[in-house]
């Protein structure tokens, strides 16, 4: 075994630090490719020194390489040329090897210098007067920053200590002020290296990269300097000691420690007492020392045992959920003031009639599309079978389903307009009966009558087209039945058994008259764990094969092939792919730092989803096949591995649990014992068993369930975690608003026979739900499928209710628990905006899933129908096919679009 070469460059580690820390002054201004080529040569030279056992030259070379990498990362061209940097300098695993070598070299050299000093009769302290900074910059994908020596750093500094650091020219310091932008503008510290990271950006799911994008242009340079500063100080208004969960300074510290590969946690300290302490001790260093923020109301009411509803009569009930706009309002025939008020609040009859005419035009065009598609489908079925004809038939049939659902939506809108017309006429008649006349202009009356004549004509034309479309559908269905009967007769005559169904994806779809597939029992809820006894070899994943169809498309506009009724899976994958923060997280290979290899799925679900999302966003494929993801999913939940149609909500719920488990590696920081935590916080920690994940930070929220005794007014509260809200739809309405569905979910309901711990007996009570923790990504599911109570056997039906939901400015603050408002105040700064919809067309027996997604790059809505991707108008997003809505309150849009 060869021995290391003799020491020859220095007497201690400090001498080596002087050698590698001096780089050419003009290196930052050189072209990025030139810097990378120099770094490549340095890697080769250092590798040779390492092989030759020249530890000093190898250490200096590798450390100089890391210094150069630091300059590469702050180069203005780096964002555009990451791939070039990777090609020249190597991959993640290459730099992991270099970091491991550096750690070994440091330990070896440190020991050798100390031994050399002892031989010379010197103390180890003289041999190594001080430890080097040990800062080893890393590429973006580097999972950890290796430090030969980790110095002990205080977690907090006082205002006096910070002031001394500011005035010490030898201290390299960056201060991050995480108060609101308004408070920062009103008063802040006079210091050049001060950056405001507004508190509304500091919400669960944010990363350092997205913080950089969300900051104003002038703040980004200061934010980037955090990589090279020796110390980074965080401050808010007045936090003393360890900050509590969900405060802005806690979230900022968490982001820098866990989702910022540029930062070392040992560099981060907090200002004890916050900016208020600086104002008190050094008012001259503040722009406005007399400024204080307005006092926010304290809604915690801790002394009241977190009483949610002091007055039980103030609890809104579920039966009042559908009294909002969108339903026919009652007319108070005994109150003139009420009638006039309602009359004036309605659109004028002229406007209603104009809108009615527009709806009829839309209905006529849609009916023509149905006739055209039915004719194409009929002609295609009559032609001789050709390769691809089955897929073409399936595509046309899906189009018919979509058009019929759209026709149903138009009918619901027409019914709404008719109700408004009737209400208006009734009110007008009421006014005339009282001897008053609100609209007496003769010209208006003549124009109205002419418009009504046009409406009658268009309604007649529309009815004719609809009847023709129904006739074509019946003829097609009759031909399908005759063809099936002839085939069965031929098989019986020839005494040949009917061929078994092939197990490959090219099987004839159930929608085209083939044997019906087993119905999915949507009443069954997913269990927490499945298939414990899978063999290890069953979990092995073959090499990924996306079977891509090449073609230049926009980023994120790649379709997904249907692998045999996997449209339910494709719909969810496209919505997750367009979840911008999740997309960004999986595009950075550092997500592998957080993979949990000790759980049931061993991190494989997360890896395969990341691979699919990356492929969808290359922009070089028209469509791909998610074969490997489907294979892995099928290993852990066999129902998703077959070719039968499944429920997209069922798939999403299980997938979220898998992804959370695959990435659940981050220990929750608890400032006190778990028993001393507030009830909601304790329930949160216990549900996740003390470990969080990026998925839990994005998608998971918490519901507070309060039961109040009607006799003694005693309250009892429990907490439950959710990844999506499942909302009931009204049974007797064809159209409603999302607000109505939310009201019905969160409003109170009567509970009989509840055991009251205060009364020590069963009592009547009122149970009400509220949100105790809002998620950054809010997923809303509509319960469209239900068991028909009138059917003899268990038969599932579908509610075709058209739900009117906002595309932006969804306000969830009315549904927050009164005692939890402070926790969620930053999430309510920005209202939720819609970015994805999973649609279901057709019925329970035969249906099809698609997705509508807002592409963040193009800022346009697109329809994802398996391998077909097309742009759509935002006005077409609202439809009765909407099954799952994806809302975000994160500022992932351009700042000009965020309100």
């Amino acid at each position: 075994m060869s021995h290391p070469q003799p020491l020859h460059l220095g007497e201690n580690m400090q001498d080596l630090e002087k050698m590698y820390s001096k780089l050419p002054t003009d290196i930052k201004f050189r072209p990025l490719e030139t810097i990378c080529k120099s770094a490549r040569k340095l890697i080769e030279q250092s590798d040779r020194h390492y092989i030759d056992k020249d530890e000093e030259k190898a250490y200096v070379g590798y450390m100089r390489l890391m210094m150069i990498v630091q300059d590469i990362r702050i180069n203005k061209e780096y964002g555009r040329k990451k791939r070039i940097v990777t090609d020249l300098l190597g991959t993640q695993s290459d730099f992991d090897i270099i970091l491991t070598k550096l750690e070994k070299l440091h330990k070896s050299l440190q020991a050798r210098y100390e031994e050399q000093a002892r031989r010379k009769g010197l103390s180890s302290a003289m041999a190594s007067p001080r430890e080097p900074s040990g800062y080893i910059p890393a590429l973006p994908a580097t999972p950890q920053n290796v430090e030969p020596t980790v110095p002990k750093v205080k977690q907090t500094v006082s205002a006096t200590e910070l002031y001394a650091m500011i005035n010490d020219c030898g201290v390299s310091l960056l201060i991050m002020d995480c108060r609101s932008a308004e408070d920062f503008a009103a008063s802040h510290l006079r210091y050049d290296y001060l950056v405001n990271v507004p508190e509304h950006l500091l919400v669960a799911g944010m990363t350092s990269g997205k913080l950089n994008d969300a900051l104003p242009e002038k703040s980004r340079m200061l934010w980037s300097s955090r990589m090279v500063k020796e110390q980074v100080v965080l401050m808010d208004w007045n936090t003393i000691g360890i900050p509590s969960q969900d405060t802005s300074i806690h979230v900022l510290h968490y982001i820098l420690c866990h989702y910022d590969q540029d930062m070392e946690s040992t560099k981060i300290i907090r200002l004890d007492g916050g900016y208020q302490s600086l104002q008190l001790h050094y008012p001259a260093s503040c722009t406005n020392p007399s400024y204080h923020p307005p006092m926010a109301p304290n809604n915690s009411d801790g002394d009241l045992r977190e009483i949610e509803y002091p007055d039980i009569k103030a609890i809104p009930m579920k039966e009042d959920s559908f009294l909002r706009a969108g339903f026919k309002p009652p007319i108070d025939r005994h109150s003139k003031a009420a009638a006039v008020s309602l009359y004036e609040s309605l659109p004028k009859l002229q406007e209603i009639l104009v809108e009615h005419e527009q709806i009829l035009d839309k209905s006529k065009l849609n009916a023509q599309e149905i006739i055209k598609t039915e004719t194409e489908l009929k002609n295609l079925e009559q032609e001789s079978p050709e390769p691809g004809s089955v897929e073409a038939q399936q595509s046309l049939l899906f189009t018919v389903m979509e058009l019929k659902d759209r026709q149903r939506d138009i009918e619901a809108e027409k019914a709404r307009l008719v109700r408004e017309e009737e209400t208006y006429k009734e009110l007008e008649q009421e006014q005339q009966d009282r001897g008053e006349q609100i609209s007496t202009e003769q010209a208006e009356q003549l124009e109205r009558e002419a418009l009504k004549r046009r409406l009658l004509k268009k309604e007649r034309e529309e009815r004719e087209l609809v009847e023709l479309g129904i006739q074509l559908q019946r003829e097609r269905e009759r031909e399908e039945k005759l063809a099936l009967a002839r085939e069965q007769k031929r098989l019986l005559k020839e005494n040949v058994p009917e061929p078994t169904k092939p197990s490959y994806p090219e099987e004839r779809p159930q929608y085209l008259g083939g044997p019906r597939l087993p119905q999915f029992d949507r009443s069954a809820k997913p269990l927490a764990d499945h298939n414990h006894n899978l063999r290890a070899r069953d979990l092995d994943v073959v090499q990924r094969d996306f079977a891509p169809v090449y073609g230049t498309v926009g980023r994120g506009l790649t379709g997904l092939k249907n692998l045999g009724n996997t449209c339910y899976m494709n719909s969810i994958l496209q919505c997750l792919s367009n979840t911008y923060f999740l997309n960004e997280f999986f595009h950075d290979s550092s997500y592998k730092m957080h993979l949990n290899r000790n759980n049931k799925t061993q991190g494989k679900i997360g890896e395969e989803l990341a691979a699919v999302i990356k492929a969808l966003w290359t922009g070089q494929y028209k469509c791909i096949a998610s074969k490997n993801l489907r294979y892995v999913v099928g290993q852990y939940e066999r129902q998703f591995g077959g070719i039968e149609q499944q429920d997209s909500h069922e798939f999403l719920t299980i997938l979220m649990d898998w992804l959370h488990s695959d990435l659940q590696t981050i220990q929750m920081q608890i400032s006190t014992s778990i028993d001393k935590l507030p009830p909601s916080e304790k329930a949160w920690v216990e549900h996740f068993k003390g470990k969080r994940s990026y998925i839990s930070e994005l998608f998971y929220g918490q519901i507070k369930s309060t039961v109040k005794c009607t006799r003694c007014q005693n309250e009892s509260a429990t907490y439950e975690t959710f990844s999506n809200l499942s909302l009931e739809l009204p049974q007797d309405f064809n159209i409603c608003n999302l607000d109505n569905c939310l009201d019905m979910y969160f409003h109170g309901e009567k509970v009989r026979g509840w055991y009251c711990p205060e009364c020590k007996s069963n009592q009547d009570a009122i149970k009400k739900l509220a949100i105790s923790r809002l998620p950054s990504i809010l997923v809303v599911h509509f319960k469209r499928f239900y068991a028909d109570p009138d059917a003899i056997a268990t038969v599932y039906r579908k509610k075709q209710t058209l739900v009117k939901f906002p595309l932006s400015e969804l306000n969830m603050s009315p549904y927050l628990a009164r005692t939890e408002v402070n926790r969620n105040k930053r999430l309510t700064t920005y209202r939720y905006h819609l970015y994805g919809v999973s649609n279901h067309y057709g019925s329970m027996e035969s249906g099809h899933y698609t997705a509508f997604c807002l592409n963040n790059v193009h800022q346009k809505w697109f329809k994802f129908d398996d391998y077909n991707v097309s742009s759509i108008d935002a006005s077409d997003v609202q439809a009765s096919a909407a099954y799952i809505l994806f809302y975000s309150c994160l500022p992932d849009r351009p700042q000009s679009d965020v309100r």
Side-chain angles (χ1 to χ4, degrees):
M1 180 177 179
S2 59
H3 295 283
Q5 293 188 22
L7 299 172
H8 59 95
L9 290 184
E11 297 293 330
N12 47 52
M13 297 300 295
Q14 184 181 6
D15 293 341
L16 299 185
E17 184 180 9
K18 293 177 181 178
M19 295 177 187
Y20 67 71
S21 60
K22 293 181 180 179
L23 296 177
T25 56
D26 64 338
I27 190 170
K28 296 181 180 180
F29 305 104
R30 296 177 185 176
L32 186 62
E33 290 88 342
T34 304
I35 303 175
C36 290
K37 289 177 181 177
S38 300
R40 181 72 252 172
K41 292 180 181 178
L42 195 55
I43 292 174
E44 295 170 356
Q45 292 172 1
S46 302
D47 286 343
R48 284 197 297 270
H49 292 317
Y50 188 85
I51 294 171
D52 295 336
K53 297 292 185 178
D54 191 339
E55 292 185 340
E56 288 176 313
K57 285 188 176 180
Y59 183 83
V60 171
Y62 285 137
M63 288 299 292
R64 180 170 291 185
L65 167 68
M66 293 303 181
M67 298 294 289
I68 292 176
V69 169
Q70 182 70 13
D71 288 324
I72 290 173
R73 298 187 62 181
I74 61 176
N75 191 292
K76 61 182 180 181
E77 298 179 316
Y78 175 68
R80 296 185 292 107
K81 298 183 178 180
K82 282 187 178 181
R83 180 166 293 183
I84 296 175
V85 174
T86 302
D87 292 341
L88 289 172
L89 300 185
T91 61
Q92 169 69 47
S93 58
D94 297 324
F95 272 82
D96 287 345
I97 295 171
I98 292 175
L99 290 169
T100 303
K101 290 178 180 178
L102 268 173
E103 186 175 17
K104 292 179 180 178
L105 288 170
H106 182 274
K107 290 179 180 178
S108 176
L109 287 169
Q110 183 71 31
R112 292 178 66 191
Y113 282 136
E114 290 177 356
E115 178 63 26
Q116 178 177 273
R118 279 194 294 271
R119 289 177 181 176
K120 293 181 178 180
L122 300 176
S123 67
S124 62
M126 294 176 60
S128 183
R130 72 176 180 90
E131 283 292 328
S133 64
Y135 176 68
I136 301 176
L139 283 179
T142 302
Q144 60 181 358
N145 294 323
V146 179
E147 293 188 58
T149 301
V150 180
K152 183 70 174 179
V153 179
K154 292 200 307 180
Q155 292 186 346
T156 61
V157 293
S158 65
T160 305
E161 291 172 323
L162 178 60
Y163 186 75
M165 294 168 67
I166 291 172
N167 290 282
D168 185 351
C169 297
V171 177
S172 178
L173 179 68
L174 173 67
I175 301 176
M176 294 185 180
D177 189 331
C178 55
R179 297 176 296 147
S180 68
E182 294 77 13
D183 290 338
F184 181 83
S187 179
H188 60 265
L189 181 66
R190 301 180 191 272
Y191 183 59
D192 291 337
Y193 291 98
L194 172 71
V195 60
N196 176 226
V197 186
E199 66 176 1
H200 69 259
L201 297 178
L202 300 174
V203 294
M206 285 296 282
T207 62
S208 59
K210 288 313 301 174
L211 280 177
N212 178 78
D213 296 341
L215 290 174
E217 187 68 34
K218 61 182 180 180
S219 298
R220 291 178 188 171
M221 186 63 70
L222 285 170
W223 170 259
S224 299
S225 70
R226 73 194 185 284
M227 307 182 260
V228 295
K229 294 296 183 179
E230 293 179 2
Q231 294 290 341
V232 174
V233 178
L234 313 182
M235 69 176 179
D236 59 0
W237 260 111
N238 54 11
T239 295
I240 299 175
I242 300 175
S244 59
Q245 294 277 343
D246 302 312
T247 58
S248 58
I249 194 168
H250 176 272
V251 175
L252 178 57
H253 188 278
Y254 178 81
I255 290 171
L256 294 175
C257 288
H258 296 285
Y259 297 118
D260 188 353
Q261 62 271 16
D262 298 325
M263 286 293 296
E264 302 170 78
S265 59
T266 54
K267 294 171 57 174
I268 306 169
I269 54 180
R270 298 185 302 274
L271 174 60
D272 205 34
Y275 182 70
Q276 197 173 68
S277 179
L278 280 174
Q279 282 183 316
L280 178 64
H281 289 85
Y282 304 100
S285 298
C286 303
T287 57
N288 183 5
S290 61
Y291 175 76
H292 293 282
M295 294 296 292
N298 185 3
N299 295 312
S300 61
D301 289 341
D303 295 335
L304 298 178
R305 295 182 297 131
E306 288 199 339
I307 294 177
E308 193 71 47
Y309 309 106
D311 183 5
I312 195 170
K313 296 180 180 179
I315 300 178
M317 302 302 288
K318 289 186 183 294
E319 50 264 31
D320 301 329
S321 302
F322 289 91
L323 298 182
R324 293 193 183 187
F327 303 93
K328 183 176 179 179
I331 301 174
D332 185 356
R333 301 185 184 278
H334 303 288
S335 172
K336 174 183 175 182
V340 172
S341 175
L342 181 57
Y343 180 93
E344 292 176 348
S345 67
L346 286 172
K348 295 301 181 185
L349 183 56
Q350 185 76 13
E351 298 174 9
I352 298 173
L353 294 175
V354 169
E355 187 179 356
H356 196 163
E357 184 177 24
Q358 293 171 347
I359 288 289
L360 286 174
D361 288 337
K362 186 185 293 186
S363 178
K364 182 178 178 181
L365 290 174
N366 194 70
Q368 290 172 341
E369 283 293 319
I370 292 176
I371 293 171
K372 177 183 175 183
T373 310
E374 286 281 9
T375 304
E376 291 179 14
L377 185 57
K378 181 178 179 180
N379 294 337
L380 191 60
E381 289 176 343
Q382 291 175 350
E383 295 174 359
S384 58
E386 295 180 0
S389 62
V390 173
E391 288 77 7
Q393 283 180 253
Q394 180 176 337
S395 178
L396 286 173
L397 190 55
F398 290 161
T399 302
V400 170
M401 289 181 183
E402 185 175 348
L403 290 170
K404 287 187 178 299
D405 273 29
R406 188 181 301 169
Q407 190 68 31
R408 191 180 294 108
D409 296 349
I410 292 172
E411 294 299 326
E413 290 284 3
K414 284 163 58 178
R416 175 184 63 82
L417 290 170
V418 169
R419 286 198 303 270
E420 289 186 3
E421 288 178 31
E422 292 174 353
T423 302
Y424 196 103
K425 291 175 182 176
E426 289 180 26
L427 288 167
E428 207 168 45
Q429 186 62 45
E430 288 290 324
Q431 296 290 344
Q432 292 174 357
D433 292 343
R434 290 190 176 94
E436 304 168 1
Q437 196 167 357
I438 298 176
S439 177
T440 58
E441 294 291 336
Q442 187 175 5
E444 282 187 15
Q445 184 68 24
L446 292 173
E447 185 179 352
R448 189 183 302 172
E449 291 174 357
L451 184 54
K452 287 181 179 178
R453 286 194 295 271
R454 291 205 306 272
L455 289 177
L456 291 173
K457 181 181 178 182
K458 290 185 176 183
E459 285 176 349
R460 185 173 60 253
E461 294 173 350
E462 182 216 6
R463 280 197 302 271
E464 292 173 355
L465 289 171
V466 170
E467 289 171 1
L468 179 58
I470 294 173
Q471 180 181 348
L472 288 171
Q473 179 187 2
R474 288 174 178 169
E475 290 177 1
R476 174 175 56 79
E477 291 174 348
R478 186 166 56 250
E479 289 294 329
E480 286 180 355
K481 290 179 181 178
L482 288 172
L484 183 61
R486 283 194 294 268
E487 181 66 16
Q488 291 175 341
K489 184 177 181 180
R490 184 185 66 80
L491 291 172
L492 290 172
K493 186 175 181 181
E494 297 176 0
N495 197 23
V496 178
E498 189 173 351
T500 59
K501 292 167 58 176
S503 60
Y504 44 83
E506 286 73 15
E507 175 189 8
R508 179 178 175 84
Q510 61 170 325
Y511 314 110
L512 301 181
R516 295 293 181 191
L517 296 171
Q519 290 184 350
F520 172 69
D521 184 359
R522 286 178 170 80
S523 65
K525 287 299 177 183
L527 300 176
D529 199 9
H530 308 270
N531 303 333
H532 286 284
N533 300 318
L534 288 176
R535 292 173 295 177
R537 63 184 181 86
D538 290 334
L539 304 181
D540 294 333
V541 180
V542 298
Q543 186 176 2
R544 290 190 185 101
D545 177 20
F546 290 119
V549 175
Y550 288 89
T552 303
V553 296
R555 294 185 61 223
L557 302 183
T558 297
L560 285 165
K561 295 181 180 180
N562 194 318
L563 304 176
N565 292 327
T566 58
C567 55
Y568 72 94
M569 186 181 297
N570 293 346
S571 173
I572 295 300
L573 292 180
Q574 291 291 7
C575 289
L576 293 180
S577 172
N578 284 276
T579 303
Y580 190 58
F581 275 69
L582 185 66
N583 185 323
E584 183 196 46
F585 177 75
F586 280 132
H587 263 79
D588 190 338
S589 56
S590 63
Y591 83 89
K592 295 180 181 179
M593 293 170 53
H594 304 289
L595 284 176
N596 179 15
R597 299 297 188 183
N598 299 319
N599 68 332
K600 186 188 74 171
T601 54
Q602 304 171 19
K604 293 181 179 180
I605 302 292
E607 282 187 309
E608 293 305 323
L609 179 63
V612 170
I613 289 177
K614 288 178 183 178
L616 290 174
W617 283 80
T618 61
Q620 59 182 336
Y621 308 131
K622 288 184 178 179
C623 64
I624 62 170
S626 56
K627 294 181 180 179
N628 292 86
L629 176 62
R630 178 176 166 228
Y631 169 81
V632 175
V633 165
Q635 296 301 315
Y636 300 104
E637 192 63 52
R638 298 196 184 279
Q639 69 190 49
F640 299 133
I643 59 173
E644 294 84 7
Q645 182 65 274
Q646 301 295 337
D647 178 60
S648 67
H649 175 244
E650 178 90 359
F651 174 71
L652 173 65
T653 303
I654 296 177
L655 182 63
M656 284 294 102
D657 289 342
W658 280 339
L659 289 175
H660 163 68
S661 180
D662 273 1
L663 298 167
Q664 189 181 15
T665 58
I666 303 171
Q667 195 71 35
M668 292 182 178
Q669 298 176 358
I670 305 173
S671 58
T672 183
S673 66
I674 190 169
D675 292 330
K676 294 181 180 179
L677 291 174
S680 60
E681 190 66 33
K682 180 181 178 182
W684 183 260
V685 173
E686 289 178 343
H687 175 83
F688 291 115
K689 299 178 181 178
K691 285 189 176 182
R692 66 174 78 188
S693 72
Y694 192 68
I695 300 300
S696 67
E697 291 168 14
L698 276 183
F699 290 93
Y700 282 76
Q702 189 182 57
I703 293 290
K704 180 178 184 180
S705 175
T706 304
V707 181
K708 193 173 184 71
C709 178
T710 57
R711 181 173 180 268
C712 70
Q713 312 296 304
N714 178 58
E715 279 188 7
S716 176
T718 56
Y719 297 86
E720 182 178 351
T721 303
F722 70 92
S723 62
N724 59 77
L725 295 178
S726 289
L727 306 183
E728 294 282 356
L729 296 178
Q731 190 70 43
D732 302 323
F733 294 102
N734 293 325
I735 184 171
C736 69
N737 295 322
L738 176 59
D739 287 344
N740 303 124
C741 300
L742 289 168
D743 287 348
M744 187 160 62
Y745 184 85
F746 287 108
H747 281 183
E749 61 179 329
K750 295 178 181 178
V751 179
R752 298 192 180 278
W754 177 70
Y755 181 80
C756 175
E758 196 74 21
C759 299
K760 306 296 183 183
S761 61
N762 293 336
Q763 299 292 335
D764 289 348
I766 292 180
K767 177 183 177 181
K768 187 183 182 305
L769 303 181
I771 296 177
S772 57
R773 183 188 294 262
L774 277 167
S776 297
I777 304 294
L778 177 65
V779 180
V780 177
H781 160 244
F782 296 130
K783 293 183 178 180
R784 292 199 175 274
F785 302 100
Y786 66 99
D788 188 350
D790 299 327
I792 299 175
T794 303
V795 178
Y796 284 90
R797 308 293 185 196
K798 180 184 176 183
K799 293 180 181 179
Q800 303 285 1
T801 310
L802 172 60
V803 182
K804 293 285 191 176
F805 48 85
L807 271 62
S808 62
E809 298 294 319
L810 172 63
N811 181 15
M812 293 298 293
S813 58
Y815 308 106
L816 282 173
R818 192 175 64 90
T819 56
E820 303 288 344
V821 171
N822 283 343
R823 176 204 302 278
N824 299 278
K825 64 179 181 180
R826 289 191 307 284
L827 282 177
T828 56
T829 303
Y830 290 152
R831 306 294 175 88
Y832 285 88
H833 65 271
L834 186 76
Y835 69 88
V837 182
S838 174
N839 301 302
H840 180 272
Y841 296 98
S843 64
M844 185 73 189
E845 291 74 25
S846 62
H848 180 56
Y849 289 94
T850 67
F852 295 157
C853 298
L854 178 63
N855 184 285
N856 191 270
V857 174
H858 303 281
Q859 283 298 302
K860 288 179 60 179
W861 283 91
F862 289 87
K863 175 186 174 183
F864 295 86
D865 186 355
D866 289 335
Y867 58 85
N868 290 318
V869 180
S870 57
S871 62
I872 60 171
D873 191 82
S875 61
D876 294 329
V877 174
Q878 283 188 355
S880 62
Y883 187 40
I884 306 174
L885 308 180
F886 291 78
Y887 280 97
S888 171
C889 69
L890 295 168
D892 51 57
R893 294 173 291 172
Q895 286 296 295
S896 59
D897 293 340
V898 178
R899 292 187 290 272

